[in-house]
């Protein structure tokens, strides 16, 4: 009996030693990974706008009065110098006649003063009058001549005002707005019409602040009309506002059309596309990222050793569910995209699925 008990104790001791000496099973974590691949990324952007004229002139009378005739309508094509509207010229004509009458009287007075000066000059030569009296006559003649010059200028000014009763087109174009009717009394400088040149159309767009640099550096700008999307026009950035709109926080820009045709009409809806040269870039799924002390990192898989190692990366931005990597990775390397928070450096892993992009 004692021999049997001793045998059992010895067997138990040997069994315990065998368990202590055997290595523990390896901790292999199942993970999901994907390869890092280079892609050609563009920086596209499309912004809606409308066709405008580069030169838009607001027209107004230079004198006040009552509109006696309006000879155009909205959309009328006008030539340079063409009459658009006319004010009642009667008051201005009367003012010109009055000034001309005053000028005639001044001319008569000036002529009489000149004759008196000539006679008094002869009397002074004969010592019949003093030098002071001759000087007074000369001053009177000069004042009369100055009065003539003054009234001559006044007649010219009033003549100009009479001519201003006709509102004419300063250049050829199309009338895009009219804000008056016949019989209406208007003030000098009151905006009455909008005249646009049709020779240089352009697109006005509003650009958000994060796209201003892309617009400035864009290699090409393409313009498409909403009414005719099959046509494409080449554009050039002509003007970019230096200040954002207070309400929309966007920057107003003007894009000139380099070769417009008859299909481009003012007021049409257009789309401006921004394209740049394609540049290679790397991206990874956002689920592959984790942070250590605020620094973004990924687990890089050694496919031969089936282990992982942490590596810091520099991110460029986010696009949907992916993040652009500027540095830290190379094309062809594999990174863990699922299970990143259960790994440790040197951890053995097993790829359960390789998600191709």
């Amino acid at each position: 009996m004692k021999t049997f008990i001793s045998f059992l104790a010895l067997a138990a001791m040997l069994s315990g030693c065998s368990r202590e000496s055997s290595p523990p099973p390896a901790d292999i974590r199942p993970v999901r990974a994907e390869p890092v691949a280079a892609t050609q990324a563009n920086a596209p952007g499309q912004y809606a706008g409308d066709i405008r004229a580069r030169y838009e002139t607001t027209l107004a009378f230079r004198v006040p009065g009552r509109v006696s005739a309006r000879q155009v309508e909205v959309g009328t094509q006008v030539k340079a110098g063409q009459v658009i509207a006319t004010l009642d010229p009667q008051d201005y004509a009367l003012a010109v006649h009055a000034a001309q009458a005053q000028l005639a009287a001044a001319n008569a007075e000036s002529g009489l003063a000149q004759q008196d000066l000539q006679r008094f000059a002869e009397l002074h030569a004969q010592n019949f009058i003093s030098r002071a009296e001759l000087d007074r006559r000369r001053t009177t003649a000069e004042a009369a001549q100055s009065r003539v010059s003054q009234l001559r200028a006044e007649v010219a000014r009033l003549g100009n005002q009479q001519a201003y009763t006709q509102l004419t087109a300063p250049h050829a174009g199309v009338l895009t707005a009219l804000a008056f009717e016949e019989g209406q009394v208007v003030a000098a400088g009151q905006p009455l019409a909008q005249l646009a040149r049709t020779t240089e159309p352009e697109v006005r767009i509003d650009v958000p602040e994060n796209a201003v640099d892309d617009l400035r550096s864009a290699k090409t700008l393409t313009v498409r009309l909403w009414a005719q999307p099959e046509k494409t026009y080449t554009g050039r950035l002509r003007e970019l506002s230096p200040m954002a709109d207070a309400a929309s926080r966007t920057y107003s820009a003007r894009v000139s059309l380099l070769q417009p045709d008859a299909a481009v009409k003012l007021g049409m809806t257009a789309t401006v596309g921004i394209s740049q040269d394609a540049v290679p870039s790397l991206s990874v799924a956002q689920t592959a990222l984790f942070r250590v002390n605020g620094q973004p990192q990924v687990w890089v898989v050694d496919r031969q050793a089936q282990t992982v190692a942490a590596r810091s990366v520099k991110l460029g931005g986010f696009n949907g569910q992916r993040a652009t990597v500027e540095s830290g990775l190379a094309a062809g390397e594999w990174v863990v995209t699922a299970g990143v928070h259960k790994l440790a450096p040197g951890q053995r892993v097993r790829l359960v699925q390789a998600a191709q992009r």
Side-chain angles (χ1 to χ4, degrees):
M1 185 65 179
K2 293 181 179 179
T3 303
F4 179 71
I5 294 174
S6 300
F7 176 77
L8 292 176
L10 179 61
M13 291 176 61
L14 291 175
S15 176
C17 293
S18 176
R19 286 195 301 268
E20 291 177 358
S21 61
S22 62
D27 182 15
I28 301 177
R29 297 276 183 178
V31 296
R32 183 179 300 169
E34 69 174 19
V36 179
T39 59
Q40 296 294 322
N42 293 326
Q46 289 191 349
Y47 304 95
D50 55 341
I51 302 294
R52 300 282 186 88
R54 177 174 181 177
Y55 300 102
E56 295 178 327
T57 307
T58 300
L59 304 182
F61 283 106
R62 299 172 65 173
V63 293
R66 182 180 61 84
V67 179
S68 60
R70 195 184 84 173
Q71 302 179 9
V72 294
E73 300 294 339
V74 174
T76 302
Q77 294 279 348
V78 297
K79 300 178 180 179
Q82 182 175 337
V83 177
I84 296 174
T86 305
L87 295 179
D88 185 356
Q90 182 176 359
D91 291 342
Y92 295 97
L94 292 175
V96 170
H97 292 326
Q100 289 175 343
Q102 292 178 358
L103 176 60
N107 277 324
E109 293 177 359
S110 177
L112 180 60
Q114 289 294 333
Q115 293 175 2
D116 287 345
L117 176 60
Q118 185 176 2
R119 287 194 295 267
F120 276 86
E122 295 175 355
L123 292 174
H124 178 266
Q126 300 174 9
N127 293 323
F128 290 132
I129 61 172
S130 64
R131 179 70 181 182
E133 183 64 23
L134 177 62
D135 291 340
R136 281 193 293 271
R137 297 296 176 175
R138 180 177 290 109
T139 301
T140 301
E142 291 175 353
Q145 184 60 39
S146 298
R147 175 65 176 169
V148 170
S149 299
Q150 177 187 5
L151 290 174
R152 187 177 291 117
E154 181 67 10
V155 169
R157 185 184 70 84
L158 292 175
N160 289 340
Q161 287 194 334
Q162 186 178 7
Y164 295 155
T165 58
Q166 286 190 336
L167 181 62
T168 59
H171 55 77
V174 59
L175 290 167
T176 58
L178 293 175
F180 69 99
E181 298 291 343
E182 291 186 11
Q184 180 178 342
V185 177
V186 297
Q190 178 181 341
L192 300 178
Q194 192 81 12
L195 179 63
R197 292 186 181 179
T198 58
T199 55
E200 297 185 50
E202 58 187 19
V203 186
R204 193 198 70 83
I205 58 175
D206 294 319
V207 183
E209 58 187 52
N210 61 348
V212 170
D213 291 338
D214 291 340
L215 180 62
R216 284 200 184 101
S217 61
K219 300 297 182 182
T220 58
L221 295 176
T222 57
V223 179
R224 286 183 172 88
L225 302 178
W226 181 80
Q228 298 184 4
E230 70 281 358
K231 287 189 175 183
T232 301
Y233 303 88
T234 302
R236 176 181 58 84
L237 178 64
R238 183 186 67 82
E239 179 182 282
L240 180 61
S241 174
M243 182 177 296
D245 182 80
S248 63
R249 305 308 304 166
T250 57
Y251 291 80
S252 177
R254 294 267 185 156
V255 177
S256 298
L257 298 178
L258 299 185
Q259 293 181 338
D261 55 20
V264 180
K265 295 181 175 57
L266 300 181
M268 280 186 164
T269 301
T271 301
V272 176
I274 302 174
S275 61
Q276 294 178 331
D277 291 340
V279 293
S281 65
L282 303 177
S283 67
V284 296
Q286 292 193 34
T287 56
L289 301 172
F290 64 97
R291 292 184 179 272
V292 176
N293 297 326
Q295 176 65 35
Q297 298 190 356
V298 296
W299 292 109
V300 180
V301 180
D302 185 341
R303 301 194 67 191
Q304 292 184 349
Q306 294 292 303
T307 59
V308 295
R311 186 182 299 175
S312 298
V313 294
K314 181 180 179 181
L315 302 179
F318 298 92
N319 183 13
Q321 299 298 321
R322 306 195 65 81
T324 303
V325 178
E326 293 184 352
S327 62
L329 289 175
E333 293 185 304
W334 284 68
V335 295
V336 177
T337 59
V340 296
H341 299 292
K342 297 181 179 180
L343 301 178
Q347 175 78 52
R348 295 194 62 190
V349 296
R350 176 172 55 88
L351 304 183
V352 297
Q353 181 180 356
Q356 297 291 339
R357 295 189 309 164

